[in-house]
Amino acid sequence: MSEPPVTARDSSTLAAALRTEQAHLTRLYARLDTERERARRTADGAHDGAGSGGTHQARLEREVRAREAARHAARLEAVERGLCFGRLDERDGTVHYIGRTGLTDETYEPLLLDWRAPAARPFYTATPVHPGPVVRRRHLHTRGRTLTGLDDEALDLAGLDESGRRTLVGEAALLAALDRERTGRMGTAVATIQAEQDRVIRSPLRGALVVQGGPGTGKTLAALHRAAYLLFTHRAALERRGVLVIGPNPGFLRYIEEVLPALGETEVVLRTVAELLPGLAATGTDDPAAAFAKGGPWMAGVLRAAVAAHQTAPAEGLDLGEGLRVSARACAEARDAARGLRLPHNRARAFYLGTLLDALAIGQALTLGRPYDDEEAHYAPRELWERPDVRAALDPLWPRLTPQQLLERLLTDRELLASAAPEHATALLRPPGSEWTAEDVPLLDEAAELLGAEGPSAPTGQDPDELAFAQGVLTITGQTDDALLDSAALAERFRDDGPYRSTAERAAADRTWAYGHVVVDEAQELSAMAWRAVLRRVPTTSLTIVGDLAQTGSPAGARSWAETLDPHLPGRWREERLTVNYRTPEPVMALAAAVLRTAVPGHRPPESIRPGTERPRAVRVPAGGFAAALARLPVGPGTLGVIAPDALATELDALTVADAKGLEFDAVVVVEPAALAPRDLYVALTRTTRSLTLLHHRPLPPELAGLL
């Protein structure tokens, strides 16, 4: 073990260190400005046409140059705040500065190491017991471009010379970060990543990684930093596909939205499950019985049955007069043949109706005594389809459907539900015209897969030369099997004279986009149907799955990771556990642990390392007095979260437990704890970083009463 760190003996030592580090910081920002201006000029000049010519090759080169320059400029814009946050001093005298991106000088000598680079890893993993080559780790605190403070950790005091010992300053950065007030936005906290989290961050890309961790263990922070690390390490594979981050609620997404851009990554889409379908607003809510029924794996079969119910063959056959007849057997054979194609419903519709039209045309020709030759076969079915009576007879047999039409019919049709979902029909039935809910979105996504478009998409007005050239580009670059690109889409992209759209912007507008990596936070809340929707968006099954089984609140959520993931990812997922709670003060965690013993017997809570200076307090209020009690509570510094049961949340302008998931506040007020289910109470108690107040009219739950 090394000796305790030696602190600076006087203010002049700190002042000298600040001057030295400020000079280097100023140099880094000057270099950032130069690189940023160069990237902007390249992006702006790529489309000016100067010297580019009009050939397809020139357009391709111009597009690639503009896109890469725009991405580079966006990444450099994003790292303005907190550009450099650390320094490593090694035993041989080597000094590395650590930051949110990498920078070199004019001769390509490194000025700043990207935090994801292998050489930067000791900044997070070195300890006094295992320092490796590191003798000192220095944390730099900045506001804008100004250095405001330093914290040193002497990891190997014996390795420091006398000059190095004399220049040690500050305190350990982690506890300083823990004492900082919350701002309503998650800090990137790169400088305080601990070894337990670093193991998660640098886990290999392949397969699904489950990060199981209790409240305050930094699992969200680790997952987002892992996304940034993977984008850095596997940029060629991930940047053109992007990363999707799925969170539990819009408030959570606002809370984390600055993290990845601040780490230099902009090709990221943030969504809740309710927002996975572009252009759809899911604003309704389901009761627990309906949520459970909609989330179960059986709904995939229910939807298939609902689609099949719209694929009919008339039992009596077709007889429209004038010889326009098709037997019942022929209708059934045509329907079965269309199903046998295993195409989506709307794609198979053309085959089924075409088969029936052919049969009608043949019958008509025989009646009229004329030959049914190739010319007749080409024109007669089309002419029949133009007749209103023919179209009215055939269209309902295999109708064109949208996902919304299919699900609306299913959920409002008592007979269809009784046939397709007899065990859950009562829970699923709802009035026509009801608002879409978050639980409907995975069902609509499943329906979209089952229905498909009516036929293969074909851009209109596409230049054949452009199509041929684009196909050649895909062949040369080895992307002919890329799910994101086809020749038409690539050619259209080169023709687009509109504003540049990033990967994230294009992905967010496309339901069928295949992402390179997906992060799912509060993953214990996802139903089996939601998992099907998520995995549809990441064919490589490269995921970071973040959650805590003890906090599951959804009726259709997870009770075990194996039970949840094995049906979808058999043998393709692994688990890491985070065990240290950096958020919740020890006195509050004692209350939460007592609740957890009731909520999930046998589940071990994380160990809190915050001693806490304020004991939790309970305030009893008269009936109907919660609003007045909230108004009288003293408001301290930092953020305040008021969490209430669903029945009171709107009245008090408070958060529900579902709203609060994934968030943290300096002070938390929990209203009427006895009205919350034990798991929800556990979540509510662990949102605070400093103080906890319980407002109650009913007696407190026994787990809390004995500890307050």
Side-chain angles (χ1 to χ4, degrees):
M1 290 287 289
S2 64
E3 301 173 30
V6 179
T7 57
R9 296 178 181 176
D10 53 52
S11 59
S12 63
T13 303
L14 175 59
L18 287 169
R19 285 194 299 271
T20 299
E21 303 299 9
Q22 181 64 63
H24 189 76
L25 188 65
T26 300
R27 184 184 180 194
L28 291 177
Y29 273 108
R31 188 61 182 166
L32 177 68
D33 290 340
T34 299
E35 289 293 315
R36 196 156 49 195
E37 182 58 31
R38 181 179 300 163
R40 286 176 185 147
R41 286 199 306 269
T42 302
D44 293 342
H47 288 295
D48 63 9
S52 63
T55 67
H56 298 302
Q57 179 67 34
R59 285 203 293 269
L60 173 62
E61 292 174 352
R62 183 178 64 200
E63 175 71 19
V64 171
R65 187 167 62 250
R67 180 174 303 159
E68 291 307 312
R71 283 176 175 165
H72 187 49
R75 287 195 295 267
L76 294 178
E77 287 285 354
V79 298
E80 168 71 27
R81 190 175 69 176
L83 173 64
C84 176
F85 53 76
R87 166 179 155 170
L88 284 176
D89 292 23
E90 298 185 353
R91 197 171 291 107
D92 63 1
T94 302
V95 174
H96 296 298
Y97 284 88
I98 315 297
R100 305 199 188 286
T101 191
L103 292 173
T104 61
D105 64 15
E106 295 80 357
T107 63
Y108 300 102
E109 288 296 316
L111 293 174
L112 184 66
L113 281 181
D114 192 297
W115 67 272
R116 296 160 288 196
R121 188 172 191 182
F123 190 80
Y124 311 108
T125 58
T127 67
V129 178
H130 301 290
V134 180
V135 294
R136 171 168 57 185
R137 173 168 48 212
R138 171 169 283 179
H139 301 265
L140 309 178
H141 308 299
T142 59
R143 182 177 295 110
R145 297 189 171 196
T146 302
L147 187 69
T148 59
L150 306 172
D151 289 312
D152 278 345
E153 295 173 84
L155 301 179
D156 182 6
L157 201 59
L160 281 172
D161 58 22
E162 186 59 31
S163 173
R165 292 181 183 220
R166 286 198 305 269
T167 57
L168 285 169
V169 297
E171 62 178 331
L174 175 61
L175 293 180
L178 294 176
D179 286 337
R180 207 167 292 143
E181 292 172 3
R182 269 45 188 175
T183 63
R185 292 289 189 273
M186 175 178 281
T188 54
V190 180
T192 58
I193 295 170
Q194 300 301 288
E196 187 178 59
Q197 297 164 336
D198 187 75
R199 188 173 64 250
V200 168
I201 292 166
R202 297 174 196 266
S203 182
L205 171 67
R206 189 178 180 87
L209 174 68
V210 174
V211 184
Q212 163 67 37
T217 53
K219 53 188 180 292
T220 296
L221 175 142
L224 295 177
H225 284 73
R226 181 174 189 239
Y229 173 75
L230 293 175
L231 278 162
F232 174 81
T233 310
H234 304 278
R235 190 166 300 283
L238 295 183
E239 189 167 50
R240 59 193 175 86
R241 287 178 168 85
V243 170
L244 172 65
V245 177
I246 298 176
N249 52 62
F252 172 84
L253 295 180
R254 289 192 296 272
Y255 178 56
I256 68 168
E257 66 185 350
E258 296 178 2
V259 176
L260 286 166
L263 296 173
E265 299 302 345
T266 56
E267 302 296 7
V268 180
V269 176
L270 278 70
R271 291 288 183 269
T272 65
V273 169
E275 297 168 334
L276 285 179
L277 295 183
L280 179 80
T283 56
T285 57
D286 278 313
D287 61 44
F292 176 77
K294 290 179 179 181
W298 49 80
M299 285 304 298
V302 170
L303 288 166
R304 286 194 298 270
V307 172
H310 289 82
Q311 300 169 349
T312 56
E316 67 283 1
L318 288 170
D319 189 349
L320 306 180
E322 304 175 22
L324 297 174
R325 290 188 299 273
V326 184
S327 69
R329 179 177 178 180
C331 288
E333 289 175 348
R335 179 200 59 197
D336 295 343
R339 287 176 174 173
L341 297 174
R342 301 202 179 279
L343 291 173
H345 171 88
N346 288 332
R347 295 283 299 277
R349 163 185 158 90
F351 177 88
Y352 179 54
L353 297 187
T355 302
L356 295 182
L357 287 168
D358 282 339
L360 289 171
I362 291 171
Q364 184 183 54
L366 291 174
T367 299
L368 297 176
R370 67 189 187 204
Y372 192 74
D373 52 21
D374 289 344
E375 183 175 357
E376 183 81 4
H378 182 72
Y379 289 107
R382 297 188 181 189
E383 291 176 352
L384 285 173
W385 184 244
E386 296 302 319
R387 289 178 47 169
D389 60 328
V390 173
R391 181 170 293 194
L394 266 58
D395 211 25
L397 301 180
W398 195 296
R400 182 190 301 113
L401 293 170
T402 67
Q404 289 89 337
Q405 287 172 335
L406 178 70
L407 192 58
E408 174 73 5
R409 291 179 186 178
L410 172 65
L411 298 181
T412 59
D413 188 325
R414 189 181 301 275
E415 291 185 6
L416 181 56
L417 277 175
S419 172
E423 295 181 10
H424 305 284
T426 301
L428 290 171
L429 186 66
R430 72 184 188 191
S434 298
E435 293 180 322
W436 297 115
T437 69
E439 288 77 14
D440 290 330
V441 171
L443 305 185
L444 290 167
D445 195 66
E446 188 84 17
E449 291 293 306
L450 294 171
L451 297 174
E454 185 169 10
S457 58
T460 59
Q462 192 71 271
D463 186 334
D465 291 337
E466 290 179 343
L467 286 172
F469 176 73
Q471 185 60 48
V473 170
L474 293 177
T475 301
I476 292 170
T477 57
Q479 300 179 64
T480 53
D481 60 347
D482 192 331
L484 298 182
L485 289 176
D486 59 26
S487 56
L490 187 62
E492 186 68 23
R493 189 178 301 170
F494 292 150
R495 293 177 68 241
D496 187 7
D497 295 325
Y500 166 77
R501 289 201 306 159
S502 67
T503 296
E505 289 169 328
R506 288 184 286 116
D510 185 353
R511 187 196 71 83
T512 63
W513 190 273
Y515 291 89
H517 189 76
V518 171
V519 177
V520 186
D521 208 326
E522 300 292 340
Q524 75 277 356
E525 302 301 327
L526 268 63
S527 67
M529 293 304 294
W531 278 113
R532 289 174 65 90
V534 168
L535 292 170
R536 208 169 278 132
R537 286 156 172 77
V538 57
T540 60
T541 65
S542 176
L543 299 104
T544 304
I545 298 168
V546 182
D548 179 16
L549 295 171
Q551 297 185 61
T552 302
S554 169
R559 295 300 183 266
S560 91
W561 293 122
E563 179 184 313
T564 297
L565 298 177
D566 281 347
H568 309 288
L569 301 167
R572 286 177 289 163
W573 65 277
R574 59 196 186 278
E575 183 177 352
E576 290 280 1
R577 289 181 173 264
L578 300 179
T579 60
V580 179
N581 183 338
Y582 300 97
R583 175 205 298 155
T584 314
E586 286 179 344
V588 176
M589 200 61 213
L591 290 178
V595 171
L596 182 62
R597 286 192 288 271
T598 298
V600 192
H603 194 95
R604 183 177 179 181
E607 181 181 355
S608 175
I609 63 169
R610 294 177 65 93
T613 57
E614 300 182 36
R615 291 197 59 79
R617 65 188 186 117
V619 178
R620 184 152 195 165
V621 299
F626 287 123
L630 285 170
R632 291 194 300 269
L633 285 178
V635 178
T639 57
L640 170 67
V642 179
I643 304 173
D646 293 1
L648 291 171
T650 301
E651 172 192 338
L652 300 176
D653 194 22
L655 298 171
T656 66
V657 173
D659 294 332
K661 284 211 167 169
L663 304 181
E664 61 182 31
F665 306 91
D666 291 290
V668 165
V669 178
V670 179
V671 177
E672 201 65 290
L676 296 173
R679 287 177 186 258
D680 287 346
L681 181 55
Y682 178 65
V683 172
L685 295 176
T686 54
R687 299 305 95 194
T688 182
T689 68
R690 186 169 300 167
S691 69
L692 173 69
T693 302
L694 306 177
L695 292 184
H696 67 103
H697 174 67
R698 292 164 52 181
L700 289 171
E703 299 88 354
L704 302 182
L707 296 174
L708 286 168

